[in-house]
Amino acid sequence: MREWKKSDFYFDLPDELIAQDPLEDRSASRLLVLDKNTGEREHHFFREITDYLAPGDCLVLNNTKVIPARLLGVREATGAAVELLLLKRREKDVWETLAKPGKKARPGTVIDFGGGILKGEILEIVEEGNRLVRFTYQGVFEEVLDRLGEMPLPPYITHKLEDKSRYQTVYAKYEGSAAAPTAGLHFTEELLKKIKEKGVDIAYVTLHVGLGTFRPVKAENILEHHMHSEFYHVPEDAAEKINRAKRAGKRVVCVGTTSCRTVESAADDNGLLRECSGDTDIFIYPGYRFKVMDALVTNFHLPESTLVMLVSALAGRENVLEAYKEAVEEKYRFFSFGDAMLIQ
């Protein structure tokens, strides 16, 4: 298999194409449709996606819910500012976090949030400099977090988000993500209703999006890149719907790279699923043979990111980079609040 370099997945992106705010109407974003076999491209609006879904297809959605995982506090001893990003719950009140600045978050440090409403003690430093933190508080942690925490928007979004719900999908259900599965942000209740009425099965899986979303690929040889593991769950009814589509020769259309990574991690060698939970650190790049997914709804991703590598595995690197070049020329909006692609 060919050895891939990070620079193989580079493209030029003007800063002004990075979407800073969500559109008022979620389904009004643009949709670039890419034929993964021929490289042919069409331009549409997202609400027209129903034209590309057929009765018996199975649409796979990730129903994770973003928690307000960004906490701004001060060191109890000195009053120095410290920011924590909650990444993964290790046990009831112990979380793996990303701390900034790290030098002010040594083991034994106590950080105060909200004037004592919430306190966090740094227990230890784990892989890649992340901190394990034990929190103390009165009441229910989720309620405290909802009161004090901010939505953990990616670093390339500099505008303040006025409405927290716009960084959630309309079907978000299970709390646990440090970032939104952004391909799903384009769907409205009305659009999902139309898709169901067309005879498309909708399967909900869960993958809690973690630190990998924020981690750039640093190694030039991409095989040296370390993927963080993320928790996933495939319920029995979702497995049945996906299997039914596969057996009938219909398509499994994943919404977002997180749904893709969930079904590809959970499937057996025949591409069939059963109810299961686990942690996945699957890294999908060109040369990967997909076991389950036939088509993908996805946003436009950062140059040299693992996400561009994943879409290149499905559609071919040249096809993807040509599509991205055209998207730049056509002034598509990029990243979390940006426009979408359907690769089929």
Side-chain angles (χ1 to χ4, degrees):
M1 192 187 286
R2 174 176 170 179
E3 278 194 13
W4 293 102
K5 301 196 293 288
K6 178 177 75 164
S7 52
D8 290 328
F9 302 91
Y10 178 79
F11 61 92
D12 272 322
L13 180 69
D15 284 348
E16 64 266 21
L17 295 185
I18 299 172
Q20 292 295 330
D21 303 288
L23 295 180
E24 197 168 323
D25 173 4
R26 290 172 183 259
S27 65
S29 46
R30 293 161 80 189
L31 180 70
L32 192 157
V33 180
L34 172 64
D35 185 312
K36 66 187 179 189
N37 298 313
T38 66
E40 285 180 28
R41 300 177 289 277
E42 297 175 16
H43 301 281
H44 295 274
F45 288 103
F46 193 84
R47 65 176 77 91
E48 297 171 82
I49 197 166
T50 48
D51 297 340
Y52 292 92
L53 298 171
D57 284 349
C58 183
L59 190 70
V60 184
L61 303 175
N62 179 8
N63 61 7
T64 188
K65 194 170 191 178
V66 186
I67 58 174
R70 187 168 173 248
L71 286 165
L72 305 174
V74 294
R75 275 181 68 179
E76 199 171 59
T78 64
V82 181
E83 177 183 324
L84 293 184
L85 180 66
L86 307 185
L87 299 172
K88 187 188 284 187
R89 191 177 228 144
R90 289 291 193 91
E91 50 191 84
K92 185 176 183 296
D93 290 322
V94 176
W95 285 75
E96 185 175 339
T97 71
L98 184 64
K100 291 197 303 194
K103 62 180 181 292
K104 293 192 177 137
R106 295 190 181 96
T109 301
V110 175
I111 304 164
D112 183 314
F113 305 94
I117 294 170
L118 177 68
K119 291 191 178 183
E121 182 188 354
I122 311 288
L123 300 179
E124 61 176 294
I125 300 173
V126 291
E127 63 170 334
E128 299 199 19
N130 294 346
R131 266 62 174 173
L132 286 191
V133 179
R134 177 180 286 117
F135 291 102
T136 52
Y137 51 91
Q138 295 290 315
V140 179
F141 182 74
E142 283 72 18
E143 289 174 4
V144 173
L145 191 61
D146 207 43
R147 188 171 158 194
L148 298 179
E150 294 182 7
M151 279 300 188
L153 294 178
Y156 47 75
I157 293 178
T158 56
H159 291 192
K160 187 166 170 56
L161 183 65
E162 298 303 328
D163 177 2
K164 273 186 188 178
S165 72
R166 293 310 308 273
Y167 196 57
Q168 300 280 20
T169 61
V170 296
Y171 48 81
K173 189 171 182 183
Y174 299 109
E175 294 190 324
S177 274
T182 54
L185 295 178
H186 306 282
F187 289 91
T188 62
E189 299 282 9
E190 183 189 14
L191 188 53
L192 289 170
K193 186 165 172 277
K194 281 184 183 165
I195 289 167
K196 280 183 192 159
E197 285 168 354
K198 194 165 180 182
V200 176
D201 260 340
I202 296 183
Y204 292 98
V205 299
T206 307
L207 181 137
H208 291 323
V209 188
L211 182 65
T213 297
F214 298 99
R215 279 269 192 244
V217 177
K218 290 180 178 162
E220 183 57 20
N221 177 356
I222 68 168
L223 295 184
E224 293 170 18
H225 178 67
H226 170 62
M227 293 285 282
H228 282 260
S229 72
E230 296 164 313
F231 172 82
Y232 71 87
H233 174 63
V234 177
E236 187 179 355
D237 68 323
E240 285 173 3
K241 287 176 179 178
I242 292 164
N243 292 344
R244 185 162 63 226
K246 295 303 283 184
R247 289 187 175 119
K250 301 295 185 179
R251 296 180 311 159
V252 174
V253 183
C254 290
V255 173
T257 56
T258 60
S259 299
C260 163
R261 287 174 39 245
T262 300
V263 298
E264 292 297 319
S265 298
D268 66 18
D269 290 340
N270 299 314
L272 297 175
L273 287 91
R274 56 183 172 76
E275 180 180 3
C276 60
S277 297
D279 290 296
T280 180
D281 60 358
I282 190 170
F283 182 13
I284 296 175
Y285 53 87
Y288 178 84
R289 292 176 68 91
F290 289 91
K291 296 180 284 187
V292 182
M293 184 175 77
D294 301 298
L296 176 67
V297 179
T298 184
N299 280 19
F300 291 91
H301 305 295
L302 279 79
E304 301 184 332
S305 63
T306 59
L307 306 176
V308 165
M309 294 168 194
L310 186 153
V311 296
S312 296
L314 180 64
R317 183 186 73 109
E318 289 79 10
N319 286 343
V320 168
L321 291 182
E322 280 298 315
Y324 270 53
K325 184 167 174 263
E326 189 165 305
V328 169
E329 287 165 2
E330 296 290 332
K331 302 222 173 339
Y332 272 68
R333 300 161 75 250
F334 274 67
F335 306 161
S336 298
F337 290 139
D339 295 315
M341 286 180 84
L342 168 63
I343 301 172
Q344 62 168 12

